Short mmCIF file of all heavy atoms in Angstrom, two decimals:
data_model
loop_
_atom_site.label_atom_id
_atom_site.label_comp_id
_atom_site.label_asym_id
_atom_site.label_seq_id
_atom_site.Cartn_x
_atom_site.Cartn_y
_atom_site.Cartn_z
N VAL A 44 30.68 -24.04 -6.95
CA VAL A 44 29.41 -24.41 -6.35
C VAL A 44 29.30 -25.93 -6.25
O VAL A 44 29.54 -26.64 -7.22
CB VAL A 44 28.23 -23.85 -7.18
CG1 VAL A 44 26.90 -24.31 -6.59
CG2 VAL A 44 28.29 -22.34 -7.23
N ASP A 45 28.96 -26.39 -5.08
CA ASP A 45 28.77 -27.82 -4.84
C ASP A 45 27.40 -28.23 -5.36
O ASP A 45 26.37 -27.96 -4.74
CB ASP A 45 28.87 -28.11 -3.34
CG ASP A 45 28.85 -29.60 -3.04
OD1 ASP A 45 28.54 -30.40 -3.96
OD2 ASP A 45 29.15 -29.98 -1.89
N THR A 46 27.38 -28.88 -6.52
CA THR A 46 26.12 -29.23 -7.15
C THR A 46 25.44 -30.43 -6.49
O THR A 46 24.30 -30.76 -6.83
CB THR A 46 26.33 -29.54 -8.64
OG1 THR A 46 27.32 -30.57 -8.78
CG2 THR A 46 26.78 -28.31 -9.39
N THR A 47 26.11 -31.07 -5.54
CA THR A 47 25.46 -32.18 -4.83
C THR A 47 24.57 -31.65 -3.71
O THR A 47 23.82 -32.41 -3.09
CB THR A 47 26.51 -33.13 -4.23
OG1 THR A 47 27.27 -32.44 -3.21
CG2 THR A 47 27.45 -33.63 -5.30
N LYS A 48 24.68 -30.36 -3.44
CA LYS A 48 23.85 -29.75 -2.41
C LYS A 48 22.93 -28.71 -3.04
O LYS A 48 23.26 -28.13 -4.06
CB LYS A 48 24.73 -29.07 -1.35
CG LYS A 48 25.66 -30.03 -0.62
CD LYS A 48 26.52 -29.27 0.39
CE LYS A 48 27.46 -30.23 1.13
NZ LYS A 48 28.33 -29.51 2.08
N SER A 49 21.80 -28.51 -2.39
CA SER A 49 20.90 -27.47 -2.90
C SER A 49 21.33 -26.12 -2.35
O SER A 49 21.93 -26.02 -1.28
CB SER A 49 19.45 -27.76 -2.49
OG SER A 49 19.32 -27.83 -1.10
N ASN A 50 21.03 -25.10 -3.10
CA ASN A 50 21.45 -23.75 -2.74
C ASN A 50 20.27 -22.80 -2.80
O ASN A 50 19.24 -23.09 -3.42
CB ASN A 50 22.53 -23.28 -3.72
CG ASN A 50 23.75 -24.17 -3.74
OD1 ASN A 50 24.61 -24.07 -2.90
ND2 ASN A 50 23.81 -25.07 -4.72
N ILE A 51 20.44 -21.65 -2.19
CA ILE A 51 19.47 -20.57 -2.32
C ILE A 51 20.03 -19.59 -3.32
O ILE A 51 21.14 -19.08 -3.14
CB ILE A 51 19.19 -19.90 -0.97
CG1 ILE A 51 18.57 -20.92 -0.01
CG2 ILE A 51 18.26 -18.70 -1.15
CD1 ILE A 51 18.38 -20.40 1.40
N TRP A 52 19.28 -19.34 -4.37
CA TRP A 52 19.75 -18.48 -5.45
C TRP A 52 19.13 -17.09 -5.32
O TRP A 52 17.91 -16.94 -5.35
CB TRP A 52 19.39 -19.10 -6.80
CG TRP A 52 19.71 -18.23 -7.99
CD1 TRP A 52 20.64 -17.25 -8.08
CD2 TRP A 52 19.09 -18.30 -9.28
NE1 TRP A 52 20.66 -16.70 -9.34
CE2 TRP A 52 19.71 -17.32 -10.09
CE3 TRP A 52 18.09 -19.10 -9.83
CZ2 TRP A 52 19.34 -17.11 -11.43
CZ3 TRP A 52 17.72 -18.89 -11.15
CH2 TRP A 52 18.35 -17.91 -11.94
N PHE A 53 19.97 -16.09 -5.15
CA PHE A 53 19.55 -14.70 -5.16
C PHE A 53 20.05 -14.06 -6.46
O PHE A 53 21.24 -14.13 -6.76
CB PHE A 53 20.17 -13.92 -3.99
CG PHE A 53 19.43 -14.07 -2.69
CD1 PHE A 53 19.73 -15.12 -1.82
CD2 PHE A 53 18.44 -13.17 -2.31
CE1 PHE A 53 19.06 -15.26 -0.62
CE2 PHE A 53 17.78 -13.30 -1.10
CZ PHE A 53 18.08 -14.34 -0.25
N HIS A 54 19.13 -13.43 -7.17
CA HIS A 54 19.55 -12.67 -8.36
C HIS A 54 19.24 -11.20 -8.16
O HIS A 54 18.15 -10.83 -7.69
CB HIS A 54 18.86 -13.15 -9.63
CG HIS A 54 19.18 -12.26 -10.80
ND1 HIS A 54 20.44 -12.23 -11.37
CD2 HIS A 54 18.45 -11.32 -11.46
CE1 HIS A 54 20.45 -11.33 -12.34
NE2 HIS A 54 19.27 -10.76 -12.41
N PHE A 55 20.20 -10.36 -8.55
CA PHE A 55 20.03 -8.90 -8.46
C PHE A 55 20.40 -8.28 -9.81
O PHE A 55 21.40 -8.68 -10.42
CB PHE A 55 20.94 -8.32 -7.38
CG PHE A 55 20.76 -8.97 -6.03
CD1 PHE A 55 21.74 -9.82 -5.52
CD2 PHE A 55 19.62 -8.72 -5.28
CE1 PHE A 55 21.58 -10.41 -4.28
CE2 PHE A 55 19.45 -9.31 -4.04
CZ PHE A 55 20.43 -10.17 -3.54
N ALA A 56 19.63 -7.31 -10.21
CA ALA A 56 19.95 -6.62 -11.45
C ALA A 56 21.28 -5.89 -11.32
O ALA A 56 22.16 -6.02 -12.16
CB ALA A 56 18.84 -5.62 -11.81
N SER A 57 21.42 -5.15 -10.22
CA SER A 57 22.62 -4.33 -10.04
C SER A 57 22.86 -4.10 -8.56
O SER A 57 22.28 -4.78 -7.71
CB SER A 57 22.44 -3.00 -10.78
OG SER A 57 23.65 -2.28 -10.83
N LEU A 58 23.71 -3.15 -8.24
CA LEU A 58 24.10 -2.91 -6.85
C LEU A 58 22.93 -2.43 -6.01
O LEU A 58 22.78 -2.82 -4.85
CB LEU A 58 25.23 -1.88 -6.80
CG LEU A 58 25.81 -1.59 -5.41
CD1 LEU A 58 26.41 -2.84 -4.79
CD2 LEU A 58 26.86 -0.49 -5.51
N GLY A 59 22.08 -1.58 -6.59
CA GLY A 59 20.93 -1.07 -5.83
C GLY A 59 20.00 -2.17 -5.40
O GLY A 59 19.52 -2.19 -4.25
N GLU A 60 19.72 -3.12 -6.29
CA GLU A 60 18.85 -4.25 -5.94
C GLU A 60 19.52 -5.16 -4.92
O GLU A 60 18.85 -5.76 -4.08
CB GLU A 60 18.47 -5.02 -7.20
CG GLU A 60 17.50 -4.31 -8.12
CD GLU A 60 18.12 -3.13 -8.82
OE1 GLU A 60 19.32 -3.20 -9.21
OE2 GLU A 60 17.43 -2.11 -8.99
N PHE A 61 20.86 -5.27 -5.01
CA PHE A 61 21.58 -6.06 -4.01
C PHE A 61 21.36 -5.48 -2.62
O PHE A 61 21.05 -6.20 -1.66
CB PHE A 61 23.07 -6.10 -4.33
CG PHE A 61 23.91 -6.68 -3.22
CD1 PHE A 61 24.03 -8.05 -3.07
CD2 PHE A 61 24.56 -5.86 -2.31
CE1 PHE A 61 24.79 -8.60 -2.03
CE2 PHE A 61 25.31 -6.38 -1.28
CZ PHE A 61 25.43 -7.76 -1.14
N GLU A 62 21.54 -4.18 -2.49
CA GLU A 62 21.34 -3.54 -1.19
C GLU A 62 19.90 -3.68 -0.73
O GLU A 62 19.64 -3.77 0.47
CB GLU A 62 21.74 -2.06 -1.26
CG GLU A 62 23.23 -1.84 -1.49
CD GLU A 62 24.11 -2.38 -0.37
OE1 GLU A 62 23.63 -2.46 0.78
OE2 GLU A 62 25.27 -2.74 -0.64
N GLN A 63 18.98 -3.72 -1.67
CA GLN A 63 17.57 -3.87 -1.35
C GLN A 63 17.28 -5.27 -0.81
O GLN A 63 16.55 -5.44 0.17
CB GLN A 63 16.74 -3.59 -2.59
CG GLN A 63 15.25 -3.47 -2.35
CD GLN A 63 14.55 -2.90 -3.58
OE1 GLN A 63 15.02 -3.04 -4.70
NE2 GLN A 63 13.42 -2.25 -3.36
N GLY A 64 17.85 -6.28 -1.46
CA GLY A 64 17.60 -7.66 -1.04
C GLY A 64 18.54 -8.17 0.04
O GLY A 64 18.34 -9.25 0.60
N ARG A 65 19.55 -7.38 0.34
CA ARG A 65 20.58 -7.80 1.30
C ARG A 65 20.04 -8.15 2.69
O ARG A 65 20.51 -9.12 3.31
CB ARG A 65 21.63 -6.70 1.39
CG ARG A 65 22.84 -7.04 2.23
CD ARG A 65 23.89 -5.95 2.10
NE ARG A 65 25.03 -6.15 2.94
CZ ARG A 65 26.12 -5.39 2.92
NH1 ARG A 65 26.17 -4.36 2.08
NH2 ARG A 65 27.14 -5.64 3.71
N PRO A 66 19.06 -7.40 3.22
CA PRO A 66 18.55 -7.78 4.56
C PRO A 66 18.00 -9.20 4.60
O PRO A 66 18.23 -9.93 5.57
CB PRO A 66 17.44 -6.75 4.81
CG PRO A 66 17.84 -5.57 3.99
CD PRO A 66 18.45 -6.14 2.74
N LEU A 67 17.29 -9.61 3.54
CA LEU A 67 16.75 -10.97 3.50
C LEU A 67 17.88 -11.99 3.38
O LEU A 67 17.89 -13.01 4.09
CB LEU A 67 15.78 -11.13 2.33
CG LEU A 67 15.18 -12.52 2.17
CD1 LEU A 67 14.33 -12.89 3.39
CD2 LEU A 67 14.33 -12.60 0.90
N LEU A 68 18.82 -11.73 2.50
CA LEU A 68 19.96 -12.64 2.32
C LEU A 68 20.70 -12.84 3.64
O LEU A 68 21.01 -13.97 4.04
CB LEU A 68 20.89 -12.09 1.24
CG LEU A 68 22.05 -12.94 0.76
CD1 LEU A 68 22.50 -12.47 -0.63
CD2 LEU A 68 23.26 -12.87 1.69
N GLU A 69 20.99 -11.74 4.32
CA GLU A 69 21.77 -11.84 5.56
C GLU A 69 20.98 -12.49 6.69
O GLU A 69 21.55 -13.21 7.52
CB GLU A 69 22.26 -10.44 5.96
CG GLU A 69 23.27 -9.89 4.95
CD GLU A 69 23.86 -8.56 5.35
OE1 GLU A 69 23.34 -7.92 6.30
OE2 GLU A 69 24.85 -8.13 4.71
N LYS A 70 19.67 -12.28 6.70
CA LYS A 70 18.87 -12.92 7.74
C LYS A 70 18.80 -14.43 7.50
O LYS A 70 18.85 -15.22 8.46
CB LYS A 70 17.47 -12.31 7.77
CG LYS A 70 16.58 -12.88 8.86
CD LYS A 70 15.55 -11.87 9.35
CE LYS A 70 16.19 -10.83 10.24
NZ LYS A 70 15.17 -10.04 11.00
N ILE A 71 18.70 -14.84 6.25
CA ILE A 71 18.72 -16.27 5.94
C ILE A 71 20.07 -16.87 6.34
O ILE A 71 20.14 -17.96 6.93
CB ILE A 71 18.44 -16.51 4.44
CG1 ILE A 71 16.97 -16.21 4.13
CG2 ILE A 71 18.81 -17.94 4.03
CD1 ILE A 71 16.62 -16.30 2.66
N ARG A 72 21.14 -16.18 6.03
CA ARG A 72 22.47 -16.66 6.40
C ARG A 72 22.61 -16.81 7.92
O ARG A 72 23.17 -17.78 8.41
CB ARG A 72 23.54 -15.72 5.85
CG ARG A 72 24.95 -16.03 6.30
CD ARG A 72 25.38 -17.43 5.88
NE ARG A 72 25.92 -17.46 4.54
CZ ARG A 72 26.11 -18.58 3.85
NH1 ARG A 72 25.77 -19.74 4.37
NH2 ARG A 72 26.63 -18.55 2.64
N ASN A 73 22.08 -15.84 8.66
CA ASN A 73 22.18 -15.88 10.12
C ASN A 73 21.29 -16.95 10.75
O ASN A 73 21.70 -17.64 11.68
CB ASN A 73 21.83 -14.51 10.71
CG ASN A 73 22.88 -13.46 10.41
OD1 ASN A 73 24.03 -13.79 10.18
ND2 ASN A 73 22.48 -12.20 10.37
N GLN A 74 20.08 -17.08 10.23
CA GLN A 74 19.13 -18.02 10.82
C GLN A 74 19.33 -19.45 10.33
O GLN A 74 18.97 -20.41 11.03
CB GLN A 74 17.69 -17.57 10.54
CG GLN A 74 17.30 -16.30 11.26
CD GLN A 74 15.83 -15.96 11.11
OE1 GLN A 74 15.03 -16.78 10.65
NE2 GLN A 74 15.45 -14.75 11.50
N TYR A 75 19.87 -19.60 9.13
CA TYR A 75 20.07 -20.92 8.53
C TYR A 75 21.51 -21.03 8.03
O TYR A 75 21.75 -21.07 6.81
CB TYR A 75 19.08 -21.15 7.39
CG TYR A 75 17.63 -20.98 7.80
CD1 TYR A 75 16.99 -19.76 7.65
CD2 TYR A 75 16.92 -22.04 8.37
CE1 TYR A 75 15.66 -19.58 8.03
CE2 TYR A 75 15.59 -21.88 8.75
CZ TYR A 75 14.98 -20.65 8.58
OH TYR A 75 13.66 -20.49 8.96
N PRO A 76 22.47 -21.07 8.93
CA PRO A 76 23.88 -21.05 8.52
C PRO A 76 24.29 -22.25 7.66
O PRO A 76 25.31 -22.18 6.97
CB PRO A 76 24.64 -21.04 9.85
CG PRO A 76 23.67 -21.58 10.85
CD PRO A 76 22.31 -21.13 10.39
N GLU A 77 23.50 -23.31 7.71
CA GLU A 77 23.83 -24.49 6.91
C GLU A 77 23.46 -24.30 5.43
O GLU A 77 23.92 -25.06 4.56
CB GLU A 77 23.12 -25.72 7.46
CG GLU A 77 21.63 -25.84 7.16
CD GLU A 77 20.75 -24.92 8.02
OE1 GLU A 77 21.30 -24.18 8.86
OE2 GLU A 77 19.52 -24.97 7.86
N LYS A 78 22.65 -23.28 5.15
CA LYS A 78 22.24 -23.04 3.76
C LYS A 78 23.37 -22.41 2.97
O LYS A 78 24.11 -21.57 3.47
CB LYS A 78 21.01 -22.12 3.71
CG LYS A 78 19.79 -22.65 4.45
CD LYS A 78 19.21 -23.86 3.75
CE LYS A 78 17.95 -24.34 4.45
NZ LYS A 78 17.40 -25.57 3.82
#
Side-chain angles (χ1 to χ4, degrees):
V44 177
D45 187 347
T46 56
T47 66
K48 298 179 180 179
S49 59
N50 301 279
I51 297 174
W52 175 24
F53 278 88
H54 174 70
F55 306 108
S57 190
L58 184 61
E60 288 71 37
F61 170 82
E62 293 298 332
Q63 190 168 26
R65 186 173 176 175
L67 178 63
L68 187 158
E69 294 184 348
K70 182 151 285 194
I71 288 175
R72 173 60 86 194
N73 290 335
Q74 292 187 12
Y75 305 93
E77 76 283 1
K78 301 292 183 183

